[in-house]
Amino acid sequence: MTIAERKMTRRIGLCRAMTAALLFSAPFGLQAKIDGSEVYEPVAPTIDQARANILIARQLQFTHFRDLGISNELSGDVFDAYLDYLDGQRIYLTQDDLKKFSQIRTQLGSALKTGQLQPGFDIYNVVQQRIIERLQFALGVIDEGIDKLDFSSDQSILLDRSEADWEADTKALDALWIKRLKNAVLAQRLNGSDDETITDNLTRRYEGQLKRAYQARSEDAFQAYMNAFTGMWDPHTSYFSPRTSENFNINMSLSLEGIGAVLQSDNEYTKVVRLVPGGPASQQGQLGPADRIVSVAQEGEKPVNVIGWRLDEVVDLIRGPRNSVVTLEVIPSSATDETLTETIAITRDEVKLEEQSASKDVIHLKGDGGTDYTVGVITIPTFYADFQAMQAGDPDYKSTTRDVRQLISELEADGVDGLVIDLRNNGGGALHEANDLVGLFIDEGPTVQIRNSNNTVQVLNDEDPSVAYDGPLVVLTNRMSASASEIFAGAIQDYGRGLVVGSQTFGKGTVQAVRPLNHGQLKITQSKFYRVSGGSTQHKGVIPDIEIPTRIDKTRIGEDALDHALPWDQIEAVPHTRYFDFSGIIDELRKRHEERFSSSPEFSLLQKEIDFLKEQRAQDSVSLNMDTRKSQHEQIEQTRLTIANARRELRGEEPFASLDELDDWQDQQAADLDKTDEELDFVIREGGQIMADMLKLDSQMASIDEPTQFAAQAQAQ
């Protein structure tokens, strides 16, 4: 098709879209020919889906941990959540559409009880219609030529419209979409693309989204509607369609083959939840939590834009043969603008158990007064166990606890004075391993409480009286430490067995079960974790005794950043030993840490990075003026280069001469999977320094006959 023919087709499509918009005076029974060839066929619910809806409603009301009835108030909340899912950035619907939906708002609750799905499907069909109209409009503007867009005015665009008002009418939406196009063109121009390339990129993006809109299925509407409904109870309760259920766990499928990343839908994007330790993405080093995937490219092929795609289809595209390369275009979590993307090439492979195994290191430190200390470091990427080998009776099966016990033995043979357990980025794993790992550091006793939806409480115990290590202990955590990591860190803190250092953990303190339906499956939250001191790990996570700032944005990552997350609460504590009371030395430990923080170039650089990221995240809009935007872009890039060169200076390395040199170096580092870091990162070293301070203070206190030495205290109790 020639450019002239394509433009004519666009114009026909736009006219028909406008005509269709005028014809549809009510959000029911839509059917429209949007361009010269495609027809949007409204989707309709099936009998199987209606039955599944009734079963889901019953399960939620009678078996979910949260006691929540289906009321008129809930009806309005489901309505809002459903619209947020379908049009979270408020770029498709108008206030006129919302007025037509107003009669449905209070009806959804009673309809969902009885399997009446048509109201939800009516909303879905209207949104699909509006998506098609918007994409046709955008493609029409592109065909007119992006050189006709004006970049000399002082216009700006809101980056996050999730809290904005819907535009009043179609004319206002047209103006918004022209701004969106300007923003996309500006970002690509600043990244060095010419107008021909930009036109091709945007055309392929919007044509791909348009194709997905035309291919909407009844199951898409049902899954979106049910997840808006189930999400009222908590963010981890969700409906799996039959196709998703065939693999059951998309997360597990990606964990074991492909790139080793756990993904989820986030409005029209696919978002990275976490990386699997030892997996290809984790080893490659560029992909991170909260990054959003824009396109996926197979080796030697053009990228496929996946905005608006279903999660299972994005997963299928990312999977592939071992040793093949998949290239992801992502919006980094730190990006201030969704058009600022990075390209990441990852070699597919399986995640091998040995690559997730615990490992050890030794650091040598000087404390006050010139005393030398040797500190052992054990890094635990995940709580793992080789269940197949265990069930087969293999006496040498691998597990977190068995491996850590062996590493402790080796470190004690090296004569370490203290131990640091690094749980940063450990997203959890096998619950019984967390229970057993606590047992390496305490005598017999409870490790975690599990409260069920019927309010019965189960207490897991360490029943092995042996202790693998009774010396001083520091546990490192960050925002990505979750679930089983929080159980271990919380127990160590409650027992007074060691200090928790780092940043507040994720706060994932719930347990889910998967229940079959007549049509698909329901993943439902049925219980909640509580520490032996009675407080839940849910929502709040574990608060460190000594805090170290983090680059991770806690407003975007963590349980308390999720809608309808179950709250923190507490139950009765269970009797447990208190091995050491840190209250006498904690203030001094914090003081010494802060003094090091204020004088350390590494900590200063970290704080500079954090402040820079906060400043970028605080921007709620960007300019659409070419000169202003270029100046802002150059300033951001120069700051990035300055920070990178400051870090190289600390390491005694030559600074980068340009941003291109920095980018080439980062690509080379990411591609080098065999690289080793000879020097442990400074957060681990700070954990060791806190350990050295602890040993010094403990010795001082013991010298005045205070019974506070770690070993003596443990034996006494």
Side-chain angles (χ1 to χ4, degrees):
M1 182 182 291
T2 65
I3 293 176
E5 289 172 332
R6 190 169 68 175
K7 286 183 178 180
M8 181 59 69
T9 301
R10 299 283 183 233
R11 291 194 183 100
I12 293 171
L14 280 170
C15 291
R16 287 179 172 168
M18 293 171 65
T19 303
L22 293 172
L23 289 173
F24 297 134
S25 58
F28 308 109
L30 297 179
Q31 182 173 2
K33 182 176 281 191
I34 306 301
D35 63 17
S37 59
E38 298 278 3
V39 174
Y40 175 67
E41 295 287 349
V43 297
T46 67
I47 293 175
D48 282 344
Q49 289 169 349
R51 289 172 178 165
N53 171 201
I54 294 171
L55 291 173
I56 290 169
R58 289 175 181 171
Q59 295 266 21
L60 291 172
Q61 290 181 94
F62 302 119
T63 64
H64 193 281
F65 187 87
R66 172 176 262 158
D67 183 11
L68 185 65
I70 301 177
S71 61
N72 288 338
E73 182 181 355
L74 182 79
S75 177
D77 291 341
V78 173
F79 176 85
D80 292 338
Y82 191 36
L83 288 189
D84 281 344
Y85 181 87
L86 297 175
D87 188 15
Q89 288 297 304
R90 304 185 178 189
I91 57 175
Y92 301 120
L93 297 173
T94 66
Q95 291 182 22
D96 289 340
D97 291 321
L98 270 292
K99 289 177 184 175
K100 294 171 185 175
F101 293 153
S102 61
Q103 59 182 334
I104 299 177
R105 182 183 178 88
T106 58
Q107 299 173 1
L108 295 185
S110 58
L112 285 164
K113 274 186 178 181
T114 55
Q116 298 175 50
L117 295 170
Q118 194 59 52
F121 274 69
D122 287 339
I123 293 172
Y124 184 88
N125 284 322
V126 171
V127 174
Q128 291 303 114
Q129 174 74 34
R130 299 297 179 254
I131 290 172
I132 291 169
E133 292 168 5
R134 286 296 99 209
L135 294 172
Q136 286 284 7
F137 174 81
L139 287 165
V141 172
I142 292 169
D143 282 342
E144 289 297 321
I146 62 174
D147 59 316
K148 294 182 171 60
L149 296 172
D150 178 19
F151 296 100
S152 61
S153 68
D154 291 329
Q155 284 185 321
S156 63
I157 186 170
L158 194 64
L159 291 171
D160 181 6
R161 287 184 47 83
S162 60
E163 300 296 329
D165 292 331
W166 271 275
E167 297 294 345
D169 50 32
T170 301
K171 183 178 180 181
L173 267 186
D174 289 348
L176 172 62
W177 272 76
I178 288 173
K179 282 187 174 184
R180 286 172 56 83
L181 284 167
K182 286 183 180 181
N183 189 36
V185 171
L186 265 179
Q188 293 191 49
R189 281 182 178 175
L190 291 172
N191 284 335
S193 298
D194 57 39
D195 280 6
E196 183 178 354
T197 302
I198 295 171
T199 298
D200 182 58
N201 288 342
L202 293 178
T203 298
R204 284 191 290 109
R205 174 186 297 184
Y206 292 133
E207 285 181 343
Q209 290 179 249
L210 190 61
K211 181 180 178 181
R212 310 313 298 176
Y214 279 126
Q215 294 175 347
R217 306 174 308 184
S218 174
E219 200 58 49
D220 299 332
F222 182 64
Q223 183 156 311
Y225 192 27
M226 286 303 99
N227 281 325
F229 180 40
T230 61
M232 294 297 102
W233 275 258
D234 86 302
H236 304 292
T237 295
S238 57
Y239 167 73
F240 293 157
S241 69
R243 179 179 177 184
T244 304
S245 299
E246 285 175 6
N247 287 341
F248 166 54
N249 197 329
I250 286 178
N251 294 350
M252 183 58 70
S253 299
L254 268 182
S255 297
L256 297 180
E257 59 183 16
I259 63 172
V262 177
L263 309 178
Q264 71 179 28
S265 294
D266 182 26
N267 291 319
E268 59 187 356
Y269 290 102
T270 297
K271 184 175 76 173
V272 178
V273 179
R274 63 180 176 87
L275 304 182
V276 179
S282 175
Q283 291 189 4
Q284 197 269 356
Q286 286 179 288
L287 194 67
D291 289 354
R292 290 172 290 170
I293 299 173
V294 174
S295 70
V296 180
Q298 310 303 330
E299 202 165 0
E301 298 181 11
K302 283 189 173 182
V304 176
N305 187 278
V306 296
I307 297 175
W309 279 38
R310 292 180 287 271
L311 178 61
D312 55 354
E313 292 180 334
V314 177
V315 170
D316 287 343
L317 202 59
I318 292 175
R319 285 187 185 134
R322 289 182 60 187
N323 299 321
S324 62
V325 176
V326 61
T327 300
L328 308 180
E329 181 189 3
V330 304
I331 303 169
S333 61
S334 59
T336 57
D337 183 346
E338 66 180 25
T339 57
L340 298 175
T341 63
E342 292 181 358
T343 301
I344 302 172
I346 302 173
T347 302
R348 299 179 177 103
D349 201 352
E350 292 183 359
V351 179
K352 300 177 179 64
L353 187 61
E354 58 267 24
E355 292 173 347
Q356 301 184 45
S357 299
S359 60
K360 69 178 172 69
D361 237 306
V362 176
I363 52 179
H364 301 282
L365 302 167
K366 284 190 178 296
D368 293 340
T371 306
D372 292 333
Y373 294 105
T374 301
V375 177
V377 179
I378 295 179
T379 301
I380 305 176
T382 186
F383 286 85
Y384 55 88
D386 188 342
F387 293 108
Q388 290 184 344
M390 189 189 309
Q391 292 169 354
D394 184 348
D396 298 319
Y397 74 88
K398 286 184 67 63
S399 77
T400 302
T401 307
R402 292 164 67 100
D403 290 349
V404 170
R405 185 189 293 273
Q406 178 62 34
L407 295 175
I408 288 173
S409 177
E410 294 170 7
L411 288 169
E412 287 194 314
D414 293 335
V416 297
D417 299 301
L419 184 63
V420 174
I421 301 289
D422 187 1
L423 294 181
R424 291 174 302 161
N425 302 318
N426 183 320
L431 173 60
H432 74 87
E433 286 299 319
N435 176 70
D436 292 348
L437 191 67
V438 174
L440 297 185
F441 303 95
I442 66 168
D443 296 325
E444 295 174 290
T447 59
V448 65
Q449 303 184 76
I450 305 171
R451 180 185 172 200
N452 299 312
S453 57
N454 62 3
N455 286 327
T456 59
V457 176
Q458 175 190 6
V459 180
L460 298 189
N461 288 277
D462 165 45
E463 298 178 354
D464 183 354
S466 65
V467 175
Y469 177 76
D470 61 5
L473 182 65
V474 165
V475 178
L476 293 179
T477 63
N478 67 1
R479 190 62 163 175
M480 298 310 298
S481 305
S483 195
S485 291
E486 297 174 289
I487 290 171
F488 176 81
I492 294 299
Q493 195 176 57
D494 288 342
Y495 273 91
R497 187 57 193 83
L499 285 179
V500 177
V501 174
S503 54
Q504 180 184 11
T505 60
F506 191 93
K508 168 66 165 65
T510 56
V511 184
Q512 287 71 43
V514 177
R515 296 180 178 171
L517 304 167
N518 68 303
H519 185 80
Q521 294 176 310
L522 177 67
K523 179 163 71 81
I524 187 168
T525 298
Q526 62 178 14
S527 51
K528 200 171 177 181
F529 290 129
Y530 293 82
R531 293 161 60 156
V532 295
S533 58
S536 66
T537 56
Q538 169 62 18
H539 205 278
K540 184 185 290 187
V542 176
I543 307 298
D545 299 295
I546 297 177
E547 187 168 359
I548 295 178
T550 176
R551 299 179 186 88
I552 298 173
D553 182 3
K554 294 201 295 184
T555 65
R556 298 182 62 184
I557 298 175
E559 189 77 7
D560 54 4
L562 301 175
D563 291 335
H564 305 288
L566 291 178
W568 178 89
D569 65 338
Q570 61 184 21
I571 59 177
E572 287 187 16
V574 289
H576 59 281
T577 302
R578 185 78 181 168
Y579 284 80
F580 189 75
D581 182 5
F582 291 98
S583 61
I585 62 172
I586 191 64
D587 288 342
E588 180 63 22
L589 289 173
R590 288 174 182 148
K591 177 184 174 184
R592 295 186 181 197
H593 160 69
E594 288 165 3
E595 287 173 351
R596 278 191 299 272
F597 185 92
S598 61
S599 62
S600 166
E602 290 152 316
F603 276 118
S604 177
L605 186 57
L606 172 63
Q607 191 61 58
K608 185 175 182 179
E609 278 188 280
I610 292 170
D611 292 342
F612 172 65
L613 290 171
K614 283 183 177 178
E615 182 182 337
Q616 298 306 306
R617 291 165 186 152
Q619 292 186 14
D620 58 1
S621 62
V622 291
S623 173
L624 297 177
N625 179 284
M626 183 66 185
D627 293 336
T628 302
R629 186 72 165 270
K630 184 177 180 181
S631 175
Q632 292 171 342
H633 179 78
E634 289 173 349
Q635 183 178 359
I636 291 171
E637 293 292 86
Q638 185 58 47
T639 302
R640 189 164 70 90
L641 180 61
T642 299
I643 290 173
N645 280 338
R647 181 165 286 113
R648 288 180 71 81
E649 184 179 347
L650 286 175
R651 297 173 178 171
E653 299 169 343
E654 286 292 318
F656 296 112
S658 65
L659 280 164
D660 288 339
E661 188 177 332
L662 167 61
D663 290 337
D664 290 344
W665 179 84
Q666 287 179 332
D667 291 341
Q668 182 181 3
Q669 287 293 297
D672 182 11
L673 300 185
D674 295 323
K675 62 181 180 292
T676 58
D677 188 355
E678 306 243 340
E679 182 180 358
L680 288 173
D681 73 68
F682 69 89
V683 175
I684 288 181
R685 295 189 69 82
E686 176 60 16
Q689 291 285 2
I690 292 170
M691 174 71 67
D693 290 342
M694 193 190 309
L695 288 163
K696 181 68 173 177
L697 292 170
D698 182 55
S699 173
Q700 289 175 349
M701 295 175 75
S703 68
I704 56 174
D705 298 325
E706 292 288 342
T708 55
Q709 284 188 312
F710 284 89
Q713 187 77 355
Q715 291 167 4
Q717 300 192 37

